[in-house]
Each structure stands twice: as structure tokens, then as C-alpha cells.
Amino acid sequence: MPETSTAIADIHMLDRGYSREARSLLYQAYRHEPTFAYLFEAERPGYEQRVRATVRELVKQHFAQELPAIGLLVNDRLIGIALIAPPQRRLDVTESWAWRLRMVLSTGLRCTRRYLEYHAAVAACVPGEAVHVLPLLGIHPQFQGKHFGEQLLQAVHNWCAVDEHSRGVVLDSGNPRYLAFYQRQGYEEIGEVAVGPVREHVFFHANPQVLHTATA
């Protein structure tokens, strides 16, 4: 996710009215990701439909729980999004039997099991309950390389830092292209998970007040 431009997007808190745009953007952002390629069997017919279904169910559940989402808009077009699970309201989507059933029906039992195992392994790396977690985030491929990824993360950090009970932000990636980018944004790696042949890296970014307390 190299960032070279200085373009500025409008930052908005999103609600379920943006569900369709959010699903479309996140599908474009994740369909070529190594982690999703393994979880949903890119080598088998129907891969794109399985990715679409997974993104649809995750976005649907997120907005149904009225959890926060930050979006970047350029000329009223959604070009970047981060779904946020706050510490006080971080309900585990995978614990919903209705969600699991919809996943099995739309992606198959094997892919659903793979996703649940991946989700549990990443969750085991999260440093306690007092953190914000980003289950999905992305910049539309047409707008990558233009500084928007940095803007999106900065907006997330600013929003999460208002919560004095949060230690920081956690995200994960199995794409080696993004690892150095996250480190430049102040993330440190706190765990690594094997997702089939993919090495999933779990990152943590401390909130400013946490850094201040540690250095005071």
C-alpha cells in the first residue's frame, strides 16, 4: 500500500445506509488478498461469490450491531472504509449461530470452518479487552497509492484515541505488501498466525494517552 500523493478525502462516520457501497468496496479490497484466497479456496469455482457473501455477512452484522465505521469519500464516492469494534461493544460476530448458518449456506462448511479458525487464532493475539479492533478495512484499488490509506488510519487513530479506556488499535494482514506500511504508521507486530500457507501478521498501535502515560 505505497502512499505517494497528498490528496485529501472527506472523513465520515458511516451507518447502514452505506452498506451497499461498503460491501462493494471491501469486496474489491479483499478478493485478491492472500488470506481470503486460502480461506475461500480461490482455486475452486465460485471463489468470487464466496468472498462477496463473506463480506456481505460481515458488513451486515457490523451495522446491525450499530458498530462504528469510518469512511473516506471523494466527490461523494466511498473510496476507503474501516469497520471498528470498540472495547465496550466488541461482540464476536462468529458467536452468532444465525451468522454461522448464513456463512455455511453461502460459502460452504469447509470455508466457514477455515474462517472461524483464522478468526480465533487472530483473536488469541489481541492484548486484552481494552483495545479497538479493525475486522475489515480497505482502500478501493483505483485509489491506492495516493495517500488515502494513511489518511484512513489517521482518522481511525484520532477517533479511537477519544476513548480513554482504550489502549489502542489492533489489525491483521497476510499481505506482505502492507507490512512495512503499517509499521510506518506506528504499528508494532504482536503476533503471527499460520493461515494455511499464509503468514498472518497481527499489529498493535497504542493510543496517544497510553504512550503519554508510559513516558510520563
Side-chain angles (χ1 to χ4, degrees), residues 54-117:
T54 300
V55 169
R56 180 189 68 234
E57 295 303 332
L58 290 171
V59 170
K60 178 180 179 180
Q61 192 80 353
H62 191 87
F63 284 123
Q65 295 173 350
E66 299 184 341
L67 297 177
I70 291 179
L72 296 184
L73 281 78
V74 172
N75 297 326
D76 295 325
R77 177 184 177 183
L78 185 66
I79 61 96
I81 187 173
L83 304 186
I84 304 173
Q88 300 90 343
R89 301 173 58 203
R90 198 165 72 237
L91 304 178
D92 191 345
V93 64
T94 64
E95 293 181 0
S96 167
W97 284 104
W99 180 88
R100 290 191 182 203
L101 178 59
R102 293 194 301 271
M103 281 289 291
V104 170
L105 293 175
S106 57
T107 71
L109 180 59
R110 183 167 55 196
C111 290
T112 300
R113 283 178 173 169
R114 283 186 176 187
Y115 183 86
L116 292 172
E117 291 170 357

Side-chain angles (χ1 to χ4, degrees), residues 61-210:
Q61 192 80 353
H62 191 87
F63 284 123
Q65 295 173 350
E66 299 184 341
L67 297 177
I70 291 179
L72 296 184
L73 281 78
V74 172
N75 297 326
D76 295 325
R77 177 184 177 183
L78 185 66
I79 61 96
I81 187 173
L83 304 186
I84 304 173
Q88 300 90 343
R89 301 173 58 203
R90 198 165 72 237
L91 304 178
D92 191 345
V93 64
T94 64
E95 293 181 0
S96 167
W97 284 104
W99 180 88
R100 290 191 182 203
L101 178 59
R102 293 194 301 271
M103 281 289 291
V104 170
L105 293 175
S106 57
T107 71
L109 180 59
R110 183 167 55 196
C111 290
T112 300
R113 283 178 173 169
R114 283 186 176 187
Y115 183 86
L116 292 172
E117 291 170 357
Y118 146 78
H119 181 88
V122 170
C125 297
V126 175
E129 294 295 325
V131 294
H132 287 80
V133 175
L134 307 183
L136 290 176
L137 76 158
I139 301 294
H140 192 285
Q142 293 179 1
F143 292 85
Q144 292 180 3
K146 299 181 179 180
H147 212 65
F148 291 120
E150 182 176 324
Q151 291 179 43
L152 178 61
L153 284 179
Q154 188 59 58
V156 169
H157 300 158
N158 291 342
W159 189 87
C160 294
V162 174
D163 185 349
E164 62 182 12
H165 301 295
S166 176
R167 293 180 53 213
V169 179
V170 172
L171 58 80
D172 63 278
S173 177
N175 192 328
R177 291 175 51 211
Y178 300 153
L179 305 185
F181 169 75
Y182 289 130
Q183 291 169 344
R184 290 198 301 272
Q185 308 313 309
Y187 282 83
E188 61 174 314
E189 186 170 338
I190 59 172
E192 185 176 303
V193 173
V195 183
V198 180
R199 308 304 296 183
E200 191 77 7
H201 301 264
V202 184
F203 290 97
F204 173 73
H205 185 287
N207 275 348
Q209 64 266 28
V210 176

